[in-house]
Amino acid sequence: MSPAPREAMIALVDCASFYASCERVFDPSLENRPVVVLSNNDGCVVAMSQEAKALGIPMGMPWFKLEPVAAAQGIVARSSNYELYGSLSARVMEVIGRHAAWQEVYSIDESFIGLRGTVEELVQLGRRIREDVARCTGIPVRVGIAPTKTLAKVALLGVKRSAPLAEVGVCHFGGYSPTQRDAILASIPVTDLWGVAGRLGRRLANLNIHTAADLAAQDPGQMRRRFSVVLERTVRELRGTPCIPLEEEPRQYKDQLIYSRSFSEPVTTTPAMRQVLSIYAQQLASRLRSAGQQARVLTAWASTSPFATDQEPHSPQVSAVLPVPTAEPLTIARGSLGLAELIRPGTRYVRAGVVLTDLRPAGQAETLPGLGPPGEGRQLGPTLDAVVARFGVGSIGLGYGGLGTPPSWQMRRAMLSPRATTHWDELVTVRL
DNA sequence: TCTGGGGTCCTAGGACCC
DNA sequence: TCTGGGGTCCTAGGACCC
């Protein structure tokens, strides 16, 4: 039975190979070529163009293993350029939003919109969205439409996997007969659904539940008792009952803030780790301040490489309750530096991070003058941010972070494209 | 030599309260 | 010998997302 005309529907719009597509927008020479986008430090593959996927390159493959064969296969690599992707994402989302009264931006490359209309009307609308986004941003998108978010994802998988649907770029789950829908669900492994990954997938396989159709046939209450309310909702959504609402309002405040990075070369000494922590703390303080929040609890950690076979793994960690909820870089740096005392000099650490939790909106409880820790209330954060805004990252640093030359462990991004939409001096030149 | 980063949600279990 | 019960709050850890 096809859904009643004008019933509320949800469309999931996703960008095809988003990072690779972004790289192509300002570099047409990448068209029709296998493009891979690398993680920070040019570590491993985090995104691929269709051509690269077709070569069978596994997601997450280390670049140092791919690099030797890349040239021979015509593979082009780019360092990830999140500033560019974020900027293009905002434009894509804005264009999508023009076509619907309800929109939830789900991730950097996915958006849900709420729609009403017949199957034919909504498929037409999906086509218009594709054309509009392509014309305004150069990014290809695909559209899956269904009564629930989970089924919209199923419809989108159809667009990705069926050649005729890929041609159109739009799939409406309601356009199929019940028999066809069952066949579609039976063709989708459970682990392709939202909320079902490896662990859960193995537990479901033990119960002989392998496909979306198998899962849809389960009793929702039983799935809740045996697994969780999350899986219960998935079952109900697969059966067409919306359980996961469209969330239009982006959340105003985050629950936690993390700054963590791998090093381009291992850090082995206490002074170097102090420098790492000072720089990370300053970055984090800056983010926290621009989010309009303060933190009360801080955790700092470092770890050795999980791939190293020649040394014992070591992951020291410190947690501290800050004297007052704060966004002051000095207080955050001081809390983080305790970690430097815990490292074993000579051990090779490959990454570190600082996590702020127990966040709250800034300005809720002002500390009385003189009662806070040293540095509180001196507005060091805004001053540092202002200097960085004017003279660039690295132009000023706190304590151990304030060194003139860039540290040797700093992130490597050798194949970085220009930030063509956010920096005047990196604009693209077009010759006619 | 070289393997990413930043989040959220849910549940179980302990602390604590009356 | 026999030793309550119901509720909330908080946290850690697991699992998942892109």
Side-chain angles (χ1 to χ4, degrees):
Chain A
M1 194 176 78
S2 60
R6 315 211 69 80
E7 194 176 327
M9 288 286 149
I10 291 178
L12 173 57
V13 186
D14 96 318
C15 302
S17 307
F18 183 55
Y19 296 172
S21 298
C22 289
E23 295 292 339
R24 278 177 178 164
V25 169
F26 293 102
D27 186 352
S29 75
L30 300 178
E31 216 61 50
N32 302 316
R33 298 185 63 180
V35 178
V36 298
V37 178
L38 304 178
S39 63
N40 284 339
N41 277 316
D42 297 336
C44 58
V45 174
V46 292
M48 285 181 273
S49 72
Q50 199 51 51
E51 296 79 2
K53 289 173 191 165
L55 290 176
I57 301 167
M59 191 65 86
M61 185 178 198
W63 173 236
F64 74 86
K65 287 186 182 171
L66 185 58
E67 189 177 11
V69 299
Q73 304 203 49
I75 296 167
V76 189
R78 287 282 185 269
S79 306
S80 37
N81 186 346
Y82 290 106
E83 199 164 320
L84 177 69
Y85 311 151
S87 157
L88 286 179
S89 170
R91 294 169 191 223
V92 168
M93 297 305 166
E94 191 272 325
V95 175
I96 294 170
R98 294 176 192 170
H99 293 269
W102 305 276
Q103 181 180 29
E104 172 186 345
V105 176
Y106 181 74
S107 72
I108 195 166
D109 67 344
E110 292 166 296
S111 178
F112 289 105
I113 49 177
L115 305 170
R116 278 181 189 280
T118 63
V119 170
E120 294 72 25
E121 286 166 350
L122 295 188
V123 169
Q124 276 309 312
L125 180 59
R127 289 173 180 248
R128 282 204 300 280
I129 291 174
R130 277 168 56 78
E131 290 161 9
D132 214 13
V133 174
R135 185 168 45 78
C136 296
T137 70
I139 300 288
V141 299
R142 303 168 290 206
V143 185
I145 306 167
T148 69
K149 284 184 168 180
T150 303
L151 286 175
K153 163 91 174 183
V154 167
L156 195 58
L157 286 171
V159 179
K160 294 185 189 182
R161 291 178 189 174
S162 127
L165 282 177
E167 194 71 28
V168 185
V170 182
C171 172
H172 193 315
F173 196 67
Y176 297 91
S177 72
T179 316
Q180 288 172 317
R181 289 186 225 167
D182 287 344
I184 293 170
L185 289 176
S187 73
I188 293 175
V190 263
T191 48
D192 286 353
L193 298 171
W194 261 311
V196 185
R199 305 281 175 118
L200 200 50
R202 277 195 292 279
R203 290 174 64 196
L204 289 170
N206 288 335
L207 299 175
N208 221 17
I209 299 167
H210 304 283
T211 69
D214 295 338
L215 187 59
Q218 302 300 311
D219 174 63
Q222 200 191 358
M223 287 297 101
R224 180 185 196 132
R225 285 188 297 278
R226 296 187 83 136
F227 296 95
S228 71
V229 64
V230 180
L231 197 61
E232 179 194 13
R233 285 199 281 253
T234 303
V235 172
R236 293 187 189 279
E237 287 236 324
L238 282 173
R239 296 175 171 203
T241 306
C243 299
I244 312 172
L246 206 62
E247 289 177 34
E248 290 200 74
E249 291 301 317
R251 61 177 57 222
Q252 194 176 2
Y253 294 113
K254 292 181 180 173
D255 298 333
Q256 58 175 22
L257 217 49
I258 302 178
Y259 191 92
S260 85
R261 290 286 181 280
S262 301
F263 313 133
S264 60
E265 61 182 58
V267 164
T268 60
T269 67
T270 306
M273 190 59 81
R274 289 202 187 104
Q275 188 192 25
V276 167
L277 293 166
S278 298
I279 291 172
Y280 286 17
Q282 186 181 333
Q283 293 285 343
L284 205 44
S286 175
R287 283 192 195 174
L288 187 60
R289 208 174 67 76
S290 59
Q293 286 176 285
Q294 295 177 327
R296 200 176 65 98
V297 175
L298 174 152
T299 303
W301 53 271
S303 64
T304 52
S305 168
F307 305 99
T309 51
D310 57 343
Q311 66 177 7
E312 285 290 300
H314 190 222
S315 306
Q317 178 180 328
V318 288
S319 282
V321 177
L322 299 173
V324 292
T326 185
E328 275 302 314
L330 255 177
T331 311
I332 292 169
R334 201 175 287 123
S336 313
L337 281 171
L339 178 72
E341 311 311 317
L342 296 186
I343 73 161
R344 301 175 185 149
T347 296
R348 302 202 315 278
Y349 298 90
V350 299
R351 69 200 306 148
V354 181
V355 184
L356 297 176
T357 48
D358 201 352
L359 306 187
R360 56 200 67 198
Q364 281 198 327
E366 296 297 336
T367 311
L368 290 175
L371 294 186
E376 277 302 319
R378 283 196 294 176
Q379 299 294 302
L380 202 51
T383 310
L384 288 177
D385 285 350
V387 172
V388 168
R390 179 152 173 197
F391 297 104
V393 175
S395 57
I396 188 169
L398 274 181
Y400 304 102
L403 300 180
T405 51
S408 60
W409 47 265
Q410 207 155 52
M411 190 164 83
R412 185 175 53 228
R413 294 195 292 175
M415 294 159 283
L416 190 61
S417 48
R419 296 168 292 184
T421 56
T422 51
H423 288 254
W424 290 111
D425 52 348
E426 297 183 24
L427 282 179
V428 174
T429 307
V430 180
R431 293 185 195 81
L432 295 173

